[in-house]
Amino acid sequence: MNMEQPLLKEQSRSVFELLASDSEKASPPMSWGRARNLTGFWMLGLCNNFAYVVMLSAAYDILTEEEKAANGTNTTTVAPISTSAPLTLMTSEISPNNKTTVYLECNKIGTGAILLADILPTLLIKLTAPWYMQKIKYWIRVVLTVLFALASFLIVGLSEVIWANIFGVVCASISAGVGEITFLSLSTFYHRDVVSTWSSGTGGAGIFGALAYAAITALVSPRVTLYIFTVIPVIMGLSYFLLLTSYEKTADLLPAKSDESMLIKKELTLLAKLGLVKPLLKYMIPLTTVYFCEYFINQGLHELLYFYKIWIVKSEQYRWYQVIYQLGVFISRSSVNCFQIKKLWILPILQIPSEHREFSLGVATLGDSIGIAAAGAVAIPSHNRLCDLRLKM
């Protein structure tokens, strides 16, 4: 009976005492190891999403280059006059009174097709990976992420046919999908602050990737730009293997001792995993809606929104649209470190139990991918319909 008294006393503590204790432990003094982990997850977020972002920024260039190759010309003309009339809608015509009417210029294939190639493999991975990914050691997952990212830049840079370019984009998608579910699951073994630095890193990938692509292509060709970007997967591998602290590199090790009590890692059953999905829907549905709206505008409409007869050509306008969009993404994803919720007791109430977090974080990432895939699917017929209207400039 005496042995049970401490346990009963512990259980009788109020929930607010526990939450207060939890909030006090949430921000321990900065140490060298913790600084390495925060920096490491920021770099992993940056590198993981970099290829995905670059492929979206390069979408217009990929499609334009393919149409030029199919038309047997490598020359470049000032937009919106196209040299590949058989493959695009007619952009201008001369009326009987010798007045030229200029119409909206369209690629035969819209950038929504690149978006689908860039997101569907990621969606497939996220749908299936939570059921088996925990059985694969983390270092193996990271190596696969690095190799697929490297392959994406090389394949798109070297290829001259559309199917090879699409395959390169698919490789970028596989890399981003495996990496996202891997690093978010890995974050459960580190201090909770690494999630915010990962988020900031993914936002940084957007602005840095789009800006670097737009800036470098102003100096060299898109192909050379992609070759330069092969350094990014290398940085990703170095960030994981050298920058992160080494106490947690495989899925079969115990979580690090932090503000949570030491837990024995138990593999969830299939039924238990299915049961965890339903309560996550209230987070996933709003996430899906937001990403659908974002990417429908970004990849479905931006391609057709350009200024006629200005100093910057259409392809460059598209690249800088991506930069502006990604700047907003970076600001929003970094805001967690600027605008903090003071009532920290609210957040622990909303938490998932510790033993469920690794699986649940992986499943929750489905929301954005479903929204992006839906946006790509809607963007293609929307692009075709707008082009069929033959809108006058």
Side-chain angles (χ1 to χ4, degrees):
M1 182 68 178
N2 292 334
M3 296 178 61
E4 295 178 353
Q5 288 179 351
L7 178 61
L8 293 174
K9 182 178 180 181
E10 177 68 20
Q11 292 177 339
S12 65
R13 295 172 64 192
S14 72
V15 67
F16 295 103
E17 289 176 327
L18 291 173
L19 296 177
S21 175
D22 182 75
S23 64
E24 290 174 0
K25 296 177 182 177
S27 300
M30 182 66 71
S31 63
W32 171 240
R34 184 175 173 224
R36 285 175 57 186
N37 292 332
L38 292 175
T39 304
F41 270 89
W42 192 90
M43 293 300 299
L44 291 172
L46 174 75
C47 297
N48 186 73
N49 283 28
F50 192 88
Y52 169 81
V53 169
V54 167
M55 294 307 164
L56 294 182
S57 296
Y60 184 84
D61 291 327
I62 291 173
L63 295 173
T64 302
E65 287 299 316
E66 293 306 324
E67 292 193 356
K68 289 179 181 178
N71 199 42
T73 177
N74 289 321
T75 60
T76 302
T77 59
V78 177
I81 303 302
S82 173
T83 59
S84 52
L87 294 175
T88 59
L89 293 181
M90 184 180 296
T91 58
S92 64
E93 62 183 22
I94 300 177
S95 63
N97 57 3
N98 292 326
K99 291 185 178 180
T100 302
T101 302
V102 179
Y103 296 95
L104 180 72
E105 181 188 6
C106 296
N107 285 321
K108 185 177 181 181
I109 302 175
T111 52
I114 300 296
L115 177 60
L116 282 179
D118 212 12
I119 195 58
L120 286 181
T122 295
L123 178 58
L124 180 62
I125 289 170
K126 290 181 179 181
L127 282 171
T128 59
W131 315 104
Y132 62 80
M133 189 67 79
Q134 290 171 299
K135 298 179 181 179
I136 305 175
K137 294 181 182 296
Y138 277 105
W139 72 266
I140 297 177
R141 302 191 218 175
V142 174
V143 169
L144 290 174
T145 301
V146 169
L147 291 179
F148 275 108
L150 185 62
S152 69
F153 291 125
L154 292 175
I155 292 172
V156 177
L158 292 170
S159 66
E160 296 183 355
V161 292
I162 188 64
W163 67 264
N165 271 335
I166 294 295
F167 179 69
V169 176
V170 167
C171 287
S173 180
I174 293 173
S175 174
V178 173
E180 183 174 342
I181 201 169
T182 294
F183 296 128
L184 279 177
S185 297
L186 181 66
S187 70
T188 61
F189 299 106
Y190 291 82
H191 190 273
R192 66 187 62 184
D193 285 352
V194 300
V195 176
S196 65
T197 57
W198 155 270
S199 176
S200 177
T202 58
I207 182 60
F208 180 69
L211 182 59
Y213 183 80
I216 297 176
T217 50
L219 304 175
V220 298
S221 69
R223 293 184 186 277
V224 174
T225 302
L226 293 176
Y227 298 150
I228 294 173
F229 288 159
T230 56
V231 70
I232 299 298
V234 176
I235 295 175
M236 181 193 295
L238 294 176
S239 297
Y240 175 78
F241 289 104
L242 298 182
L243 191 54
L244 291 184
T245 54
S246 59
Y247 61 82
E248 179 55 54
K249 290 295 176 63
T250 56
D252 53 351
L253 293 181
L254 291 174
K257 196 170 185 178
S258 59
D259 56 303
E260 304 285 349
S261 60
M262 186 67 77
L263 297 171
I264 298 178
K265 189 173 179 61
K266 296 180 181 179
E267 184 176 351
L268 296 171
T269 64
L270 176 61
L271 187 61
K273 290 179 178 179
L274 290 174
L276 290 175
V277 173
K278 185 176 179 179
L280 292 174
L281 292 178
K282 61 179 176 289
Y283 306 111
M284 295 170 63
I285 292 175
L287 190 65
T288 298
T289 304
V290 169
Y291 272 85
F292 170 82
C293 296
E294 278 190 30
Y295 278 84
F296 178 70
I297 296 171
N298 194 31
Q299 294 294 315
L301 300 180
H302 273 181
E303 177 189 3
L304 302 177
L305 297 176
Y306 64 94
F307 293 94
Y308 177 55
K309 287 185 177 181
I310 64 170
W311 60 276
I312 182 172
V313 300
K314 182 183 176 183
S315 60
E316 292 177 340
Q317 290 181 49
Y318 181 83
R319 296 169 197 161
W320 288 104
Y321 273 142
Q322 300 300 315
V323 173
I324 296 170
Y325 163 74
Q326 295 296 349
L327 176 61
V329 171
F330 176 69
I331 293 173
S332 66
R333 294 192 180 189
S334 301
S335 61
V336 68
N337 293 324
C338 302
F339 306 98
Q340 298 183 355
I341 299 175
K342 300 300 181 181
K343 297 182 179 180
L344 297 179
W345 59 268
I346 297 176
L347 298 180
I349 289 179
L350 300 177
Q351 288 291 331
I352 300 157
S354 300
E355 63 271 20
H356 298 160
R357 288 179 188 171
E358 183 180 6
F359 170 80
S360 298
L361 278 173
V363 172
T365 60
L366 275 173
D368 61 342
S369 297
I370 293 173
I372 295 171
V378 174
I380 294 175
S382 299
H383 169 274
N384 295 338
R385 176 56 183 155
L386 289 172
C387 292
D388 289 340
L389 294 177
R390 285 176 55 81
L391 300 174
K392 296 181 180 180
M393 295 297 296

